[in-house]
Amino acid sequence: MGSLVVNRKPLIILDALSFAYDGHADALRALTLEIDPGERVGLIGPNGAGKSTLFLCLTGVLHGYRGRIEIDGLSPADPKQLPALRRAVGMVFQSSDDQLFNPTVLDDVAFGPLNLGASHDEALAMARQALARVGLAEDLHTRAPHRLSNGQKRRVALAGVLAMAPAAMLLDEPASDLDA
């Protein structure tokens, strides 16, 4: 018997990706990379190396890049595909304060599922499940996010992305502002 060969398409494809902010040198230059479903990849480099710029290109926030980006078969260059792309890719920002804006933790985590069309009850159930996954105690669910520690805020931001069950998650500086 021969071995079973699974021909799996990469989840993320970058082909000669380059991007420059107006009037500046390339922030990204000819980046080529493939990431398979379930694979975990860490990008490391100093401030200004282009990590956040890459994430903003991947999510369709930055336009005008050269080369090709494909995520779960979708291109951020196609405005018609952006709603589906934003369901497929979740991003946890470098600063949790930039991501948390609702009056309670539970409301914040339910925000994404509500915007994806979940009913109020479904969104709350998804939020509770995501908060449990990141180990955030139930007594914090009704607290205002700005009253949490940086580590707790980080967990809430992560739960907000997990609640939407994206195909890919981007974590920008996931350990910044955390105690050892």
Side-chain angles (χ1 to χ4, degrees), residues 8-67:
R8 195 185 295 181
K9 186 174 181 179
L11 178 63
I12 298 175
I13 300 170
L14 307 178
D15 185 19
L17 177 66
S18 296
F19 179 83
Y21 292 97
D22 289 338
H24 294 89
D26 282 346
L28 302 172
R29 186 176 306 128
L31 180 60
T32 298
L33 175 69
E34 291 186 355
I35 301 173
D36 291 327
E39 189 173 8
R40 291 174 177 92
V41 175
L43 301 175
I44 57 174
N47 288 342
K51 302 177 299 291
S52 297
T53 298
L54 171 61
F55 286 0
L56 294 174
C57 288
L58 291 172
T59 56
V61 173
L62 290 178
H63 304 283
Y65 61 81
R66 300 176 308 281

Side-chain angles (χ1 to χ4, degrees), residues 76-128:
D78 183 349
K80 293 177 185 170
Q81 294 182 12
L82 283 177
L85 178 86
R86 293 197 173 126
R87 285 182 182 88
V89 180
M91 182 171 164
V92 177
F93 297 175
Q94 181 173 349
S95 171
S96 298
D97 288 328
D98 292 339
Q99 193 161 349
L100 305 175
F101 52 86
N102 276 293
T104 70
V105 165
L106 190 60
D107 290 337
D108 230 310
V109 178
F111 179 82
L114 282 169
N115 281 290
L116 294 179
S119 72
H120 187 262
D121 289 342
E122 290 171 327
L124 290 177
M126 295 163 84
R128 285 186 183 97

